[in-house]
């Protein structure tokens, strides 16, 4: 069961991650479809997730909750000196195609640009992942570049697309 609601959405909520969520996150990130999209090449043990949750990370990661059940994670890295924060997300494949990730990214963008005063959000997407590119674009991210043959996925080198969203360009949904 996820921790308290940190950001409330229309269909999903973003929750604080608790140590008790380690097993749920471990099971999520070890799924082949997820770990591949995250660029993870080694298995994640339960103690690794527990250590990650309790680490002194400068970023913010939240659980995506659907009807009180965790279905994914979303977060930003520390914005650093320049006020630029990289965004990242994953969602259980059982829930792909329902707009939950887009809603979660909108909520994260509102939080990052409004409360955290982030000037720019970025995100990287495999060029082969049209769905994730669609999520970025639905929130207002613009493709800013292409890193040729940057990643190794399914036995081949593929391009990685760089997306960016300036805080002054972001428009929250009505």
């Amino acid at each position: 069961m996820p921790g308290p609601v940190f950001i409330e959405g229309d269909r999903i909520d973003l929750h604080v991650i608790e140590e008790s969520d380690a097993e749920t996150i471990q099971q999520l990130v070890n799924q082949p479809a997820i770990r591949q999209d995250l660029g993870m090449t080694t298995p994640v043990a339960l103690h690794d997730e527990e250590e990650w949750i309790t680490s002194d990370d400068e970023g913010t990661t939240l659980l995506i909750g659907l009807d009180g059940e965790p279905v994914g994670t979303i977060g930003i890295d520390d914005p650093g000196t320049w006020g630029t924060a990289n965004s990242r997300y994953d969602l259980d494949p059982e829930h792909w195609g329902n707009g939950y990730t887009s809603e979660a990214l909108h909520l994260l963008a509102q939080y990052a640009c409004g409360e955290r005063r982030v000037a720019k959000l970025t995100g990287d997407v495999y060029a082969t992942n049209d769905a994730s590119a669609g999520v970025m674009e639905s929130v207002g991210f613009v493709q800013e570049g292409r890193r040729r043959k940057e990643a190794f996925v399914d036995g081949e080198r593929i391009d990685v697309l760089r997306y960016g969203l300036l805080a002054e360009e972001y428009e929250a949904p009505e």
Side-chain angles (χ1 to χ4, degrees), residues 128-144:
T128 55
N129 191 339
D130 293 336
S132 194
V135 166
M136 289 276 176
E137 292 166 5
S138 75
V139 175
F141 283 74
V142 175
Q143 185 181 332
E144 296 181 333

Side-chain angles (χ1 to χ4, degrees), residues 108-137:
L108 185 73
Q110 290 170 38
Y111 164 72
C113 297
E115 294 183 47
R116 295 289 300 273
R117 296 184 298 251
V118 170
K120 180 179 182 179
L121 285 171
T122 61
D124 293 326
V125 175
Y126 294 151
T128 55
N129 191 339
D130 293 336
S132 194
V135 166
M136 289 276 176
E137 292 166 5

Side-chain angles (χ1 to χ4, degrees), residues 4 6 11 13 22 28 38 40 45 49 77-78 112-113 118 122 124 129 135-136 138 154 159:
F6 185 71
R11 298 180 306 145
D13 297 315
L28 178 69
L38 294 176
M40 296 171 51
E49 283 303 328
D77 295 336
D78 177 8
C113 297
V118 170
T122 61
D124 293 326
N129 191 339
V135 166
M136 289 276 176
S138 75
D154 281 339
D159 296 353

